Amino acid sequence: MTAAADILLDVRNLKRYFPIRGGLLQRQVATVQAVDDVSFVVRKGETLGIVGESGCGKSTTARLLMHLLKLDSGTITFDGQAVDAPGGMSVRELRRNLQMVFQDSYSSLNPRCTIESTIAYGPSVHGVPPAEARRRARDILGKVGLEPDLFVQRYPHELSGGQRQRINIARALALEPRLIVLDEPVSALDKSVEAQVLNLLVDLKTDLALTYIFISHDLNVVQYLSDRVLVMYLGKVVEIGPVEAIYRQPQHPYTRALLSAMPSMDPDRRVDQPPLTGDPPNPINPPPGCRFHTRCAHAEACCALSEPPLYNNVATTDHHTACHMLIPGSGHSAAPGTATPPSPAKREHAR
Amino acid sequence: MTATAVSSPSRGAQATRSDPLVSVEDLQVRFISHETTISAVNGVNFTLAPGEVLCILGESGSGKSVTLRALMRLLPPRRSQLSGRILIGGLDVMGLSRAELTDLRGSKVAMIFQEPMTAFDPVFTIGNQIMETVIQHDGLSRSDARKRALELLDMVQISSPARRLDNYPHEMSGGMRQRAMIALALSCRPSLLLADEPTTALDATVQIQILQLLRRLQRELGMAVLFVTHDVGVAVEISDRIAVMYAGRFVETGPVRAIIREPQHPYTQGLLASTVLGGMRGRRLEAIPGTPVNLLDLPPGCTFAPRCKHAEAICTKAVPAEVWLSPTRMARCVRVGPAPV
């Protein structure tokens, strides 16, 4: 297992439910279990990719990390210091170390602020003298590939989508954070511009020794950038592991479905059979037991009864999957009978 | 389809099949306002055979959706200026009156959109909206129309269709709404389906289901499909032919395999090289430099020249002509030579 000193961010049992109110008295009629008992670590210098379909809780997780949303329960530890806890790190201090880039590059910039004041705002709030903050802003603009003299006095509406996303990255970098949460940063960009921004992210990571959490629904982009991948489904982590293992030998039926739903890019090897039928279920009152059992081809009685915990069934220590088929003695007919290491038969699911 | 289909008179090189369903010549669309003129489509030529799937691949602002809307004359008449020739099944779409257009839309040509929530009327049930269309175009009675609507929902694989007929659009999930949208579009058995990024707003596992459904229905009903997308992967899944669009022109067209394996135009090459794929980890992406062209102020000559690594002086002189490499393969680039005959 990883030594504690290597861990930058340790998230334990993160939970956030949103109440849905209705009726005459605005009583709570239902809950969206947006993020339900999510735990993971981010190691220093790595990129953790988070994938999943809409409504799986990946963006809520990002917002909880930043404390943009209040946690219902759970703990976040940044570099050994508990966040927002007695004797730990304050939220303000956390945000100096942890910054975020959002998908919509336009709505995340203040339309009335020039680029310079947008980037210099964060540092000046954190006590950097105004002149120094402005100098730093120009510096960072150069780092994200925009000519400072041309851009400092411009406004967001004067820029293209790719340029605006560079500004958002520059603003995130202005506080010299150690970890950046990238929430679908290239999804709204055209393919030709997407490649430019991805190259920039790779360069910045090496130059500034950054750690990334990269959230996307584009599996190709996640594979390109990430060292480890976390797969979410309806507010739960279903699989987490090294990028090669996840893409080559996905263990969870949902991960396998997600991967085989990717367009093949080869006209002679088109996808013949959709891997799943139907839409993802509503995150309001999700199914009991394993949340994927309603769409899973291998579902059995035990899947609806109890929720599978994350379980390490393969030789590498940091690949964990939450599926009854892999857990010995879970009651699923495909589960290994005894508590021995998994048999090679598991590998048959590999793509 | 009417029996008066005429073949396109020009473009002998394209006339591989004798009677194209759609033939478009020199289509131009401008959006006019007080201060500005936006040249959205700048001379598009193509033909589409019955039962063929042509995919228009391009980035935002390339004019792909505008081309699609122009085919159905859906653009706001006072603010847009259309020129060129559009023949659909022998009908000159440019010359049709409003009543004739109403007749054409929905019956011979149908369209599906990216966001089905905004394409459906939120205050009527799905069944109602499908019935309205078949009553209008096919003159069915209400009870027959309901039967037809039920068959259609069944055809697009909506589970428990009888119950779903009485659903309002907001009661359905995104994938189901898109299926209902397809049912509505196919209700009068159109010979041409226009699809404007119908899977872009959907999740990956749902997107592939909708693509499969469209492919199956296209084969079974023998319709021609004009499919617009920005996603190369989607284009490869669905199309027979691909047309790559940049700044209002088709810069390259050809069969899907040829476009993916041997792209000729520098823009197509750049687009394919900058698309992130599985095995590219650790390699640097070959991005196309610069940003897409400003349609308010088109550069002279080849519109891709400012971003092209092969650009020479000649590129900025005149718009490159269509060079036909083979009867099915076209590229608009000075570096591409004509077919050796």
Side-chain angles (χ1 to χ4, degrees):
Chain A
M1 213 51 223
T2 327
D6 285 342
I7 292 174
L8 186 59
L9 186 76
D10 189 347
V11 179
R12 296 240 172 112
N13 310 101
L14 204 60
K15 198 176 276 190
R16 174 71 205 224
Y17 291 179
F18 295 105
I20 293 183
R21 294 178 193 281
L24 194 61
L25 298 169
Q26 290 296 299
R27 283 206 196 98
Q28 184 173 335
V29 290
T31 14
V32 180
Q33 305 186 2
V35 173
D36 192 12
D37 206 11
V38 165
S39 304
F40 60 90
V41 296
V42 184
R43 294 174 199 148
K44 287 176 184 163
E46 77 168 353
T47 300
L48 176 72
I50 303 184
V51 295
E53 295 176 286
S54 52
C56 75
K58 48 193 197 304
S59 291
T60 306
T61 306
R63 283 168 169 74
L64 289 171
L65 295 182
M66 274 297 278
H67 285 70
L68 292 175
L69 287 170
K70 257 180 90 107
L71 282 63
D72 282 352
S73 67
T75 55
I76 296 174
T77 313
F78 191 90
D79 204 8
Q81 286 182 285
V83 175
D84 203 15
M89 184 186 247
S90 66
V91 170
R92 186 189 161 94
E93 211 179 321
L94 171 79
R95 288 187 184 153
R96 215 190 61 64
N97 286 298
L98 174 61
Q99 282 286 307
M100 190 157 169
V101 176
F102 299 86
Q103 174 173 3
D104 186 339
S105 63
Y106 193 69
S107 69
S108 49
L109 292 172
N110 185 340
R112 291 162 181 254
C113 284
T114 59
I115 301 312
E116 183 177 50
S117 53
T118 296
I119 301 175
Y121 190 84
S124 52
V125 165
H126 282 267
V128 176
E132 163 67 14
R134 279 202 301 278
R135 195 197 56 74
R136 209 193 268 187
R138 299 175 73 92
D139 218 42
I140 292 162
L141 269 178
K143 276 196 192 121
V144 297
L146 298 174
E147 182 60 48
D149 291 335
L150 282 176
F151 284 93
V152 279
Q153 289 311 319
R154 290 214 202 168
Y155 288 90
H157 73 266
E158 298 176 276
L159 307 178
S160 70
Q163 288 169 339
R164 275 200 299 268
Q165 205 53 295
R166 284 172 193 264
I167 300 294
N168 278 308
I169 294 168
R171 177 180 56 182
L173 292 174
L175 284 166
E176 296 172 353
R178 297 168 65 191
L179 175 61
I180 299 186
V181 179
L182 303 149
D183 188 1
E184 306 255 9
V186 293
S187 306
L189 302 178
D190 279 322
K191 282 279 171 262
S192 64
V193 180
E194 176 186 285
Q196 296 172 9
V197 174
L198 289 176
N199 278 337
L200 173 70
L201 287 173
V202 170
D203 291 346
L204 289 173
K205 182 165 182 277
T206 355
D207 294 351
L208 306 174
L210 293 167
T211 303
Y212 288 156
I213 294 178
F214 187 86
I215 299 173
S216 180
H217 66 273
D218 186 333
L219 292 160
N220 283 321
V221 173
V222 168
Q223 187 180 12
Y224 177 73
L225 275 185
S226 312
D227 300 308
R228 287 192 309 136
V229 177
L230 185 156
V231 185
M232 280 185 86
Y233 186 76
L234 286 186
K236 291 275 183 192
V237 179
V238 296
E239 187 164 358
I240 180 167
V243 64
E244 311 84 41
I246 295 261
Y247 280 78
R248 205 171 310 140
Q249 298 186 339
Q251 299 291 315
H252 198 282
Y254 177 65
T255 315
R256 290 205 294 270
L258 211 54
L259 287 168
S260 46
M262 281 160 75
S264 62
M265 294 298 289
D266 183 346
D268 294 324
R269 281 177 35 217
R270 288 180 175 175
V271 182
D272 319 311
Q273 199 61 48
L276 289 179
T277 52
D279 295 59
N282 200 326
I284 303 170
N285 302 327
C290 172
R291 292 189 178 180
F292 185 59
H293 83 263
T294 51
R295 295 171 88 195
C296 181
H298 311 284
E300 291 183 9
C302 67
C303 300
L305 290 176
S306 68
E307 201 181 293
L310 279 170
Y311 177 76
N312 175 222
N313 73 310
V314 288
T316 45
T317 52
D318 62 349
H319 190 164
H320 291 78
T321 312
C323 179
H324 281 310
M325 286 195 291
L326 310 173
I327 302 172
S330 65
H332 196 286
S333 61
T338 49
T340 48
S343 62
K346 285 270 152 35
R347 303 286 149 81
E348 77 190 358
H349 303 303
R351 291 211 313 162
Chain B
M1 186 75 330
T2 49
T4 53
V6 286
S7 64
S8 160
S10 69
R11 306 238 115 57
Q14 258 178 321
T16 44
R17 283 171 244 199
S18 54
D19 285 357
L21 176 68
V22 183
S23 110
V24 172
E25 274 172 55
D26 197 27
L27 178 68
Q28 309 216 6
V29 182
R30 286 183 193 359
F31 293 107
I32 316 266
S33 73
H34 288 302
E35 303 94 33
T36 54
T37 302
I38 297 172
S39 318
V41 179
N42 304 302
V44 159
N45 305 302
F46 70 93
T47 59
L48 183 64
E52 188 184 24
V53 184
L54 173 66
C55 201
I56 304 180
L57 181 65
E59 296 180 291
S60 48
S62 61
K64 52 195 195 306
S65 292
V66 176
T67 306
L68 215 58
R69 282 170 167 72
L71 284 185
M72 248 183 159
R73 296 264 310 275
L74 283 175
L75 299 166
R78 264 192 279 162
R79 274 172 292 142
S80 61
Q81 220 175 53
L82 264 74
S83 69
R85 217 165 120 87
I86 303 173
L87 289 175
I88 298 180
L91 232 58
D92 180 8
V93 177
M94 290 299 213
L96 294 183
S97 68
R98 267 183 77 168
E100 289 168 324
L101 276 173
T102 313
D103 204 34
L104 174 85
R105 295 172 186 156
S107 67
K108 294 187 184 75
V109 187
M111 189 155 176
I112 54 177
F113 300 89
Q114 178 173 353
E115 195 22 89
M117 194 61 207
T118 54
F120 273 118
D121 191 329
V123 301
F124 292 101
T125 60
I126 297 289
N128 233 317
Q129 298 187 49
I130 298 180
M131 282 159 66
E132 185 194 3
T133 313
V134 290
I135 291 171
Q136 162 88 30
H137 285 294
D138 289 359
L140 296 184
S141 70
R142 276 195 74 78
S143 63
D144 285 347
R146 199 178 159 83
K147 261 185 233 142
R148 178 104 184 93
L150 198 63
E151 281 167 31
L152 285 161
L153 288 196
D154 200 38
M155 180 180 81
V156 296
Q157 294 164 335
I158 288 181
S159 54
S160 49
R163 195 161 54 83
R164 289 295 175 186
L165 270 185
D166 298 318
N167 272 175
Y168 288 91
H170 75 269
E171 296 176 294
M172 298 180 137
S173 65
M176 188 130 41
R177 271 202 293 270
Q178 198 57 278
R179 284 172 194 269
M181 181 91 241
I182 294 171
L184 175 62
L186 302 185
S187 58
C188 295
R189 293 169 294 268
S191 44
L192 173 63
L193 180 69
L194 307 177
D196 189 1
E197 307 232 20
T199 62
T200 306
L202 303 175
D203 280 318
T205 57
V206 183
Q207 161 169 296
I208 200 81
Q209 295 173 34
I210 298 291
L211 288 178
Q212 300 276 340
L213 176 70
L214 279 174
R215 219 158 67 189
R216 182 174 65 78
L217 293 174
Q218 181 270 330
R219 264 199 310 264
E220 286 176 11
L221 306 174
M223 11 168 226
V225 178
L226 196 55
F227 195 102
V228 157
T229 184
H230 69 277
D231 187 327
V232 185
V234 169
V236 170
E237 282 293 323
I238 193 96
S239 51
D240 299 325
R241 267 200 304 149
I242 292 181
V244 183
M245 198 161 183
Y246 188 80
R249 290 192 189 95
F250 283 5
V251 294
E252 181 166 3
T253 60
V256 53
R257 285 175 188 79
I259 294 275
I260 297 300
R261 291 179 190 153
E262 288 155 355
Q264 298 293 320
H265 196 282
Y267 175 66
T268 317
Q269 290 165 354
L271 196 63
L272 290 172
S274 61
T275 300
V276 184
L277 288 177
M280 294 165 89
R281 229 183 116 63
R283 258 191 285 160
R284 202 164 171 78
L285 300 173
E286 276 180 55
I288 305 176
T291 51
V293 68
N294 179 4
L295 295 171
L296 290 171
D297 182 22
L298 287 179
C302 175
T303 41
F304 186 62
R307 301 175 76 186
C308 182
K309 59 183 172 191
H310 308 291
E312 295 165 31
I314 185 173
C315 296
T316 53
K317 294 252 162 56
V319 178
E322 296 186 347
V323 179
W324 286 88
L325 297 161
S326 79
T328 54
R329 199 94 167 76
M330 181 281 284
R332 268 179 184 250
C333 178
V334 291
R335 296 174 67 243
V336 176
V341 183

PDB file of all heavy atoms in Angstrom, chain A residues 86-99:
ATOM      1  N   PRO A  86     -11.132  20.707  13.917  1.00  0.00           N
ATOM      2  CA  PRO A  86     -10.332  21.368  14.946  1.00  0.00           C
ATOM      3  C   PRO A  86      -8.867  20.980  14.819  1.00  0.00           C
ATOM      4  O   PRO A  86      -8.549  19.809  14.691  1.00  0.00           O
ATOM      5  CB  PRO A  86     -10.928  20.832  16.259  1.00  0.00           C
ATOM      6  CG  PRO A  86     -12.275  20.301  15.895  1.00  0.00           C
ATOM      7  CD  PRO A  86     -12.227  19.905  14.472  1.00  0.00           C
ATOM      8  N   GLY A  87      -8.003  21.977  14.839  1.00  0.00           N
ATOM      9  CA  GLY A  87      -6.575  21.708  14.753  1.00  0.00           C
ATOM     10  C   GLY A  87      -6.099  21.378  13.359  1.00  0.00           C
ATOM     11  O   GLY A  87      -4.912  21.140  13.136  1.00  0.00           O
ATOM     12  N   GLY A  88      -6.999  21.377  12.378  1.00  0.00           N
ATOM     13  CA  GLY A  88      -6.603  21.034  11.014  1.00  0.00           C
ATOM     14  C   GLY A  88      -6.467  22.263  10.137  1.00  0.00           C
ATOM     15  O   GLY A  88      -6.146  23.356  10.605  1.00  0.00           O
ATOM     16  N   MET A  89      -6.720  22.044   8.867  1.00  0.00           N
ATOM     17  CA  MET A  89      -6.549  23.089   7.869  1.00  0.00           C
ATOM     18  C   MET A  89      -7.900  23.792   7.650  1.00  0.00           C
ATOM     19  O   MET A  89      -8.943  23.126   7.623  1.00  0.00           O
ATOM     20  CB  MET A  89      -6.115  22.368   6.591  1.00  0.00           C
ATOM     21  CG  MET A  89      -5.775  23.230   5.419  1.00  0.00           C
ATOM     22  SD  MET A  89      -5.465  22.105   4.016  1.00  0.00           S
ATOM     23  CE  MET A  89      -3.736  22.372   3.764  1.00  0.00           C
ATOM     24  N   SER A  90      -7.876  25.108   7.518  1.00  0.00           N
ATOM     25  CA  SER A  90      -9.140  25.805   7.258  1.00  0.00           C
ATOM     26  C   SER A  90      -9.535  25.634   5.791  1.00  0.00           C
ATOM     27  O   SER A  90      -8.698  25.299   4.950  1.00  0.00           O
ATOM     28  CB  SER A  90      -8.987  27.292   7.567  1.00  0.00           C
ATOM     29  OG  SER A  90      -8.084  27.858   6.650  1.00  0.00           O
ATOM     30  N   VAL A  91     -10.794  25.885   5.483  1.00  0.00           N
ATOM     31  CA  VAL A  91     -11.259  25.764   4.111  1.00  0.00           C
ATOM     32  C   VAL A  91     -10.528  26.764   3.219  1.00  0.00           C
ATOM     33  O   VAL A  91     -10.156  26.481   2.086  1.00  0.00           O
ATOM     34  CB  VAL A  91     -12.790  25.977   4.041  1.00  0.00           C
ATOM     35  CG1 VAL A  91     -13.255  26.089   2.597  1.00  0.00           C
ATOM     36  CG2 VAL A  91     -13.509  24.846   4.733  1.00  0.00           C
ATOM     37  N   ARG A  92     -10.285  27.947   3.769  1.00  0.00           N
ATOM     38  CA  ARG A  92      -9.575  28.982   3.021  1.00  0.00           C
ATOM     39  C   ARG A  92      -8.165  28.513   2.642  1.00  0.00           C
ATOM     40  O   ARG A  92      -7.720  28.693   1.514  1.00  0.00           O
ATOM     41  CB  ARG A  92      -9.504  30.217   3.912  1.00  0.00           C
ATOM     42  CG  ARG A  92      -8.926  31.443   3.262  1.00  0.00           C
ATOM     43  CD  ARG A  92      -8.723  32.496   4.349  1.00  0.00           C
ATOM     44  NE  ARG A  92      -7.777  33.493   3.891  1.00  0.00           N
ATOM     45  CZ  ARG A  92      -8.153  34.626   3.310  1.00  0.00           C
ATOM     46  NH1 ARG A  92      -9.417  34.886   3.145  1.00  0.00           N
ATOM     47  NH2 ARG A  92      -7.239  35.494   2.894  1.00  0.00           N
ATOM     48  N   GLU A  93      -7.533  27.886   3.601  1.00  0.00           N
ATOM     49  CA  GLU A  93      -6.181  27.390   3.330  1.00  0.00           C
ATOM     50  C   GLU A  93      -6.224  26.239   2.314  1.00  0.00           C
ATOM     51  O   GLU A  93      -5.363  26.129   1.452  1.00  0.00           O
ATOM     52  CB  GLU A  93      -5.581  26.898   4.643  1.00  0.00           C
ATOM     53  CG  GLU A  93      -4.082  27.055   4.720  1.00  0.00           C
ATOM     54  CD  GLU A  93      -3.582  26.562   6.070  1.00  0.00           C
ATOM     55  OE1 GLU A  93      -4.270  26.820   7.084  1.00  0.00           O
ATOM     56  OE2 GLU A  93      -2.545  25.899   6.089  1.00  0.00           O
ATOM     57  N   LEU A  94      -7.263  25.417   2.432  1.00  0.00           N
ATOM     58  CA  LEU A  94      -7.420  24.309   1.479  1.00  0.00           C
ATOM     59  C   LEU A  94      -7.534  24.850   0.056  1.00  0.00           C
ATOM     60  O   LEU A  94      -6.901  24.355  -0.871  1.00  0.00           O
ATOM     61  CB  LEU A  94      -8.674  23.493   1.800  1.00  0.00           C
ATOM     62  CG  LEU A  94      -9.043  22.448   0.726  1.00  0.00           C
ATOM     63  CD1 LEU A  94      -8.169  21.217   0.857  1.00  0.00           C
ATOM     64  CD2 LEU A  94     -10.509  22.058   0.783  1.00  0.00           C
ATOM     65  N   ARG A  95      -8.337  25.894  -0.095  1.00  0.00           N
ATOM     66  CA  ARG A  95      -8.581  26.427  -1.447  1.00  0.00           C
ATOM     67  C   ARG A  95      -7.350  27.084  -2.039  1.00  0.00           C
ATOM     68  O   ARG A  95      -7.277  27.292  -3.240  1.00  0.00           O
ATOM     69  CB  ARG A  95      -9.745  27.416  -1.409  1.00  0.00           C
ATOM     70  CG  ARG A  95     -11.070  26.698  -1.212  1.00  0.00           C
ATOM     71  CD  ARG A  95     -12.214  27.650  -1.354  1.00  0.00           C
ATOM     72  NE  ARG A  95     -13.477  26.974  -1.077  1.00  0.00           N
ATOM     73  CZ  ARG A  95     -14.549  27.592  -0.619  1.00  0.00           C
ATOM     74  NH1 ARG A  95     -14.516  28.889  -0.396  1.00  0.00           N
ATOM     75  NH2 ARG A  95     -15.656  26.918  -0.395  1.00  0.00           N
ATOM     76  N   ARG A  96      -6.393  27.452  -1.195  1.00  0.00           N
ATOM     77  CA  ARG A  96      -5.145  27.952  -1.749  1.00  0.00           C
ATOM     78  C   ARG A  96      -4.352  26.796  -2.375  1.00  0.00           C
ATOM     79  O   ARG A  96      -3.620  26.977  -3.327  1.00  0.00           O
ATOM     80  CB  ARG A  96      -4.320  28.624  -0.655  1.00  0.00           C
ATOM     81  CG  ARG A  96      -3.523  29.818  -1.170  1.00  0.00           C
ATOM     82  CD  ARG A  96      -2.540  30.322  -0.157  1.00  0.00           C
ATOM     83  NE  ARG A  96      -1.530  29.331   0.226  1.00  0.00           N
ATOM     84  CZ  ARG A  96      -0.625  28.821  -0.590  1.00  0.00           C
ATOM     85  NH1 ARG A  96      -0.582  29.197  -1.842  1.00  0.00           N
ATOM     86  NH2 ARG A  96       0.236  27.916  -0.154  1.00  0.00           N
ATOM     87  N   ASN A  97      -4.546  25.623  -1.812  1.00  0.00           N
ATOM     88  CA  ASN A  97      -3.815  24.445  -2.293  1.00  0.00           C
ATOM     89  C   ASN A  97      -4.569  23.639  -3.328  1.00  0.00           C
ATOM     90  O   ASN A  97      -4.007  22.783  -3.981  1.00  0.00           O
ATOM     91  CB  ASN A  97      -3.496  23.532  -1.107  1.00  0.00           C
ATOM     92  CG  ASN A  97      -2.398  24.104  -0.252  1.00  0.00           C
ATOM     93  OD1 ASN A  97      -1.281  24.284  -0.714  1.00  0.00           O
ATOM     94  ND2 ASN A  97      -2.722  24.434   0.982  1.00  0.00           N
ATOM     95  N   LEU A  98      -5.869  23.866  -3.390  1.00  0.00           N
ATOM     96  CA  LEU A  98      -6.733  23.051  -4.251  1.00  0.00           C
ATOM     97  C   LEU A  98      -7.566  24.013  -5.093  1.00  0.00           C
ATOM     98  O   LEU A  98      -8.330  24.807  -4.554  1.00  0.00           O
ATOM     99  CB  LEU A  98      -7.628  22.184  -3.349  1.00  0.00           C
ATOM    100  CG  LEU A  98      -8.719  21.342  -3.971  1.00  0.00           C
ATOM    101  CD1 LEU A  98      -8.126  20.342  -4.923  1.00  0.00           C
ATOM    102  CD2 LEU A  98      -9.491  20.619  -2.881  1.00  0.00           C
ATOM    103  N   GLN A  99      -7.407  23.971  -6.396  1.00  0.00           N
ATOM    104  CA  GLN A  99      -8.157  24.865  -7.277  1.00  0.00           C
ATOM    105  C   GLN A  99      -8.935  24.052  -8.289  1.00  0.00           C
ATOM    106  O   GLN A  99      -8.691  22.863  -8.467  1.00  0.00           O
ATOM    107  CB  GLN A  99      -7.202  25.835  -7.976  1.00  0.00           C
ATOM    108  CG  GLN A  99      -6.762  26.985  -7.082  1.00  0.00           C
ATOM    109  CD  GLN A  99      -7.868  28.006  -6.880  1.00  0.00           C
ATOM    110  OE1 GLN A  99      -8.457  28.521  -7.816  1.00  0.00           O
ATOM    111  NE2 GLN A  99      -8.161  28.298  -5.624  1.00  0.00           N
TER     112      GLN A  99
END
